[in-house]
Amino acid sequence: MTITYDDFQKVDIRVGRIMRAEPFPEARKPAIRLWVDFGNEIGEKRSSAQITAHYTPDMLVGRQVLAVVNFPPRQIGKVLSEVLVLGVPDAAGEVVLIGPGHDVPPGGRLF
């Protein structure tokens, strides 16, 4: 399926910094709860991510990630996930987070 650039523009992908990360043992699949700061315009948002194969909560704090910030919130167990943190699969299908190659200001929009 081909989309237009206007279609792409509807998806608001921003860079944020993980400020806090905690195990989420109540999730059906192993996950980590994240609090991601997207700067003054968007603020801090929460997410739940199935990223335990490659990451522990301690190694995530301070890391910059890309996330979709304009999906509606989604209830995942006891967590209201407000953003979708983005990743790509490794050879085994486990999530590898994506982020900028250099430190950038929080809230910057992907283009």
Side-chain angles (χ1 to χ4, degrees):
M1 168 172 52
T2 300
I3 65 170
T4 67
Y5 187 74
D6 288 339
D7 292 331
F8 172 72
Q9 283 292 104
K10 292 176 186 175
V11 181
D12 192 357
I13 300 173
R14 305 285 183 119
V15 64
R17 185 176 307 281
I18 298 172
M19 304 305 290
R20 194 167 130 205
E22 295 177 354
F24 185 18
E26 305 91 305
R28 277 185 273 139
K29 294 182 181 177
I32 298 174
R33 290 186 290 192
L34 304 172
W35 287 259
V36 185
D37 177 21
F38 293 96
N40 292 335
E41 181 184 344
I42 297 170
E44 188 174 272
K45 300 290 182 180
R46 292 171 296 184
S47 188
S48 171
Q50 296 173 0
I51 55 175
T52 57
H54 293 295
Y55 306 98
T56 64
D58 290 345
M59 62 193 300
L60 291 166
V61 175
R63 182 186 186 101
Q64 287 193 308
V65 293
L66 291 174
V68 177
V69 298
N70 65 334
F71 283 156
R74 185 173 174 195
Q75 192 72 41
I76 301 174
K78 294 180 180 181
V79 173
L80 183 64
S81 188
E82 300 172 295
V83 297
L84 175 65
V85 175
L86 300 175
V88 295
D90 67 9
E94 298 293 346
V95 178
V96 176
L97 294 172
I98 58 173
H102 298 280
D103 198 57
V104 297
R109 186 170 181 168
L110 178 75
F111 56 83

